[in-house]
Amino acid sequence: MTQKLDLDLKPGQSIELLKELHILTRDGKLNQDSRRKLKQVYHLYHFIEPLLKDLKENAQQINLVDHGAGKSYLGFIIYDLFFKSLSMPNKVFGIEFREELVKKSKEQADKLNFPHMDFLHLTVADSITTKKLPESVEIVTALHACDTATDDAIHFALAKNAKHIVLVPCCQAEVATHLRSNKAKLLANPMSELFRQPIHTREFGSHLTNVLRVLELTAAGYDVTVTELVGFEHSMKNELIVASKHNNPDKNHQVRQAKERLAALLTEFRLDDLKTRFSQ
């Protein structure tokens, strides 16, 4: 069953792009699954647009890297709504390890005449060292990058000294796995009741992972906000982390405190093996 398109499109939005991404059918209709996906991407763009405008005013160029790009819905929408009208140097890169999706995205960019888009067949970890990306990147996004791929995207952003980082984490099992393996040693601590039950181990592990990420970014000098992306009726993977770096000389105390609390949490929950992942 399809419905007529009743979303308020952004000014200049390409209908052909929405059809090319199979968000719209060829006769301009929108099914419910596509409606949900488009709402998520539009809502995320609502948070990204002010960051792009800041870069337009204050940067010499704008390189955006989208990690775990998949079919590149986000990259294409951002390019269509913002980058295609820029006169300053700019590039949108999509990083994806599934080669067939990279090939398809390249074909779509050519068809749509989006010359400043590129797609690279790389793991997120390999993207940190590749010479195919510029030395500096102004903004990094990762929409539903699974498990440790979100952490790799953070490490990439820190290595590239990105001014803005926008993350919507997905499934994240690593911390929960460590909590599970260390549960017997932690039972003497009343805090272990937070993750005694298997379902709580999974959910608390996910929550703790994102708390550690926020502290890691704060310790690296970023101002971090965490909010809900869209309602839970649209996605259960719903946490949006936005980090921006400002040249503020008064942040030394905030940075030092974040480092101390990050180290304390890793020790408290016997996650010492993960220090290299969350500490820079």
Side-chain angles (χ1 to χ4, degrees):
M1 181 178 180
T2 58
Q3 302 175 7
K4 288 184 178 180
L5 178 65
D6 59 7
L7 287 175
D8 293 327
L9 297 183
K10 306 284 186 182
Q13 176 72 74
S14 168
I15 298 299
E16 286 307 309
L17 169 63
L18 298 181
K19 291 180 179 179
E20 189 66 27
L21 295 177
H22 302 292
I23 291 175
L24 289 181
T25 62
R26 286 299 165 189
D27 56 354
K29 294 181 179 180
L30 185 73
N31 64 40
Q32 197 58 38
D33 286 341
S34 294
R35 178 181 298 276
R36 186 179 300 110
K37 182 68 174 180
L38 186 58
K39 180 172 182 177
Q40 288 184 49
V41 174
Y42 269 167
H43 199 62
L44 184 55
Y45 180 76
H46 168 76
F47 289 98
I48 295 174
E49 186 180 25
L51 309 180
L52 294 171
K53 288 181 176 179
D54 168 68
L55 292 170
K56 184 178 179 181
E57 292 296 321
N58 299 296
Q60 300 298 313
Q61 62 182 17
I62 306 178
N63 290 310
L64 181 148
V65 175
D66 182 31
H67 278 287
K71 295 180 180 179
S72 296
Y73 287 97
L74 179 61
F76 276 115
I77 295 292
I78 291 174
Y79 187 92
D80 185 42
L81 296 179
F82 189 85
F83 279 82
K84 72 179 182 183
S85 63
L86 286 182
S87 57
M88 64 192 295
N90 67 89
K91 194 90 173 185
V92 174
F93 295 91
I95 307 300
E96 174 57 48
F97 71 91
R98 288 167 288 184
E99 190 170 11
E100 68 278 8
L101 295 184
V102 173
K103 181 181 178 182
K104 179 64 174 178
S105 294
K106 286 177 177 286
E107 292 171 351
Q108 289 173 326
D110 289 342
K111 183 176 181 179
L112 293 160
N113 191 27
F114 287 178
H116 298 295
M117 293 195 79
D118 198 6
F119 303 91
L120 301 176
H121 175 220
L122 296 167
T123 65
V124 184
D126 288 342
S127 70
I128 297 174
T129 57
T130 183
K131 301 299 183 182
K132 296 178 181 179
L133 289 166
E135 291 186 6
S136 64
V137 169
E138 284 66 45
I139 182 166
V140 174
T141 61
L143 175 59
H144 293 164
C146 284
D147 202 16
T148 58
T150 296
D151 300 302
D152 291 333
I154 291 173
H155 296 161
F156 171 89
L158 296 181
K160 296 292 185 178
N161 196 31
K163 184 173 183 183
H164 300 295
I165 307 168
V166 181
L167 308 167
V168 181
C170 192
C171 53
Q172 35 212 12
E174 186 179 40
V175 169
T177 299
H178 279 73
L179 290 175
R180 198 173 292 114
S181 64
N182 290 321
K183 193 175 292 186
K185 299 175 183 176
L186 288 163
L187 286 177
N189 188 334
M191 292 285 286
S192 66
E193 297 301 330
L194 291 170
F195 53 91
R196 179 189 286 268
Q197 299 296 328
I199 188 172
H200 294 155
T201 304
R202 183 188 68 207
E203 295 302 320
F204 180 74
S206 178
H207 178 68
L208 180 55
T209 300
N210 286 339
V211 170
L212 293 170
R213 288 166 175 163
V214 169
L215 288 171
E216 177 186 12
L217 289 166
T218 304
Y222 287 83
D223 295 318
V224 185
T225 58
V226 184
T227 189
E228 182 181 80
L229 177 58
V230 291
F232 283 110
E233 71 273 15
H234 296 287
S235 175
M236 294 300 290
K237 306 301 182 182
N238 201 38
E239 197 162 330
L240 172 66
I241 301 171
V242 179
S244 297
K245 179 173 281 189
H246 304 287
N247 294 323
N248 184 352
D250 299 324
K251 295 183 65 173
N252 290 340
H253 173 71
Q254 181 181 338
V255 168
R256 183 172 61 254
Q257 184 182 63
K259 289 180 178 178
E260 291 171 352
R261 293 193 171 184
L262 176 59
L265 281 178
L266 290 170
T267 299
E268 177 76 17
F269 292 102
R270 293 181 177 264
L271 300 173
D272 298 285
D273 290 348
L274 300 181
K275 282 185 177 179
T276 55
R277 178 170 295 285
F278 293 105
S279 303
Q280 300 304 310

